[in-house]
Structure formats: structure tokens, C-alpha cells
Amino acid sequence: MMNPEPHALHRWLHQLLGDWTCTSEADMGPGQPPERGTGTEQVRALGDYWVLCEGTGTMPGGGEARMLMTLGYDPAQQVFRGSWVGSMMAHMFVYSGTLDADQRVLTLETEGPSFTGDGSTTRYRDTITVLSPQERTLTSAGLQPDGRWNTFMRASYRRVG
């Protein structure tokens, strides 16, 4: 199998490489205050085509969480591909995403278990916004029955060093 030359959008992902610190805020449900957390993330390249984002952070209510996100670009389908797994659950989220025209906002769509606990699934949207070479954000939203997206998690990342 012949690999093509890396695409400009493979190189776009490389701006995420490095060590990051993170602060986050998660919606804990109606009538409850948001839960704040801190963490770190190391982003490294897997060749020219993929980046691996390995993070640690605090869980709502205490305890450590470990996460791994993979991101790459599929030039044949013209979409970003990736996955997300965390130490707090058995589900693997599989992403398909697009970059906005300004090449600052990567929107990743996936499906997974609903937070309702009734065994159903729902659609989710994770959005990475590059604010500067030193700062980016990640938001996570779930599709509600009425068709609107509810943002339930916000994280701010700052490059270390």
C-alpha cells in the first residue's frame, strides 16, 4: 500500500504537538453547580499522519481520569478521523470531523451512550478551537431530543513552556 505525501490537513494537526495544561468545567445536571477540574495532556505524532493526545485529569467527585484521543485526516473522504477512550468507561467514541474555512475550529461528530442511563445512544459533538499557538479549547455537546446541542463540558488548554 502506497502512502500519499502528507496533506496540509495532516500538518494542521501537528500544531497540537507538545505538552499542555488544562482547566475544565463540566455540567453536573439541573440544580447542581458545575464541577471544575485540572489536568495535563501530551500530544505526540505517530508518523506524519496521526497525532495521539494522551491526557490525565480529575474526575467529578474526585479520582484520576486518563484519556487517549487519536486524530488524523482521510484525504480520500476529505474528513478527519479519530477516536477517544477514557479510563472511566468501556465505550470507544469514533470520530468523523471537518475543519472550518478559517482552519481554526475542528468539529468532531460521534455517537455513544446517553447520559440518561436508559441504554440508549445519542450523538455528540467535540469541538477543538485553536485560539493561538499557545492556547486552544475543547467543548463537548450532546444532541437533545428537541434538536439543539447542549454543551456539557468546556476545557481550556495552555501550552507548557
Side-chain angles (χ1 to χ4, degrees), residues 81-95:
R81 300 279 186 210
S83 63
W84 186 95
V85 292
S87 62
M88 70 296 294
M89 66 180 67
H91 183 78
M92 174 187 278
F93 291 90
V94 177
Y95 290 128

Side-chain angles (χ1 to χ4, degrees), residues 8-131:
L9 295 179
H10 293 119
R11 289 186 292 278
W12 184 90
L13 289 167
H14 284 210
Q15 70 185 312
L16 304 176
L17 298 177
D19 294 332
W20 301 80
T21 59
C22 170
T23 58
S24 63
E25 184 175 286
D27 181 4
M28 301 310 291
Q32 296 183 37
E35 184 79 26
R36 289 175 173 65
T38 59
T40 62
E41 186 175 67
Q42 294 178 317
V43 183
R44 64 187 193 277
L46 181 63
D48 292 328
Y49 301 102
W50 296 93
V51 298
L52 306 176
C53 311
E54 192 166 3
T56 61
T58 52
M59 288 286 298
E64 182 185 65
R66 298 184 65 78
M67 295 76 62
L68 178 65
M69 177 188 284
T70 63
L71 292 172
Y73 180 72
D74 180 347
Q77 299 295 314
Q78 299 183 346
V79 295
F80 286 84
R81 300 279 186 210
S83 63
W84 186 95
V85 292
S87 62
M88 70 296 294
M89 66 180 67
H91 183 78
M92 174 187 278
F93 291 90
V94 177
Y95 290 128
S96 180
T98 56
L99 191 61
D100 75 330
D102 292 333
Q103 296 195 351
R104 293 188 46 200
V105 180
L106 176 59
T107 303
L108 302 163
E109 305 275 346
T110 189
E111 188 170 314
S114 170
F115 290 157
T116 62
D118 64 3
S120 65
T121 62
T122 194
R123 289 179 46 209
Y124 294 98
R125 180 179 287 162
D126 286 354
T127 305
I128 297 170
T129 303
V130 177
L131 302 173

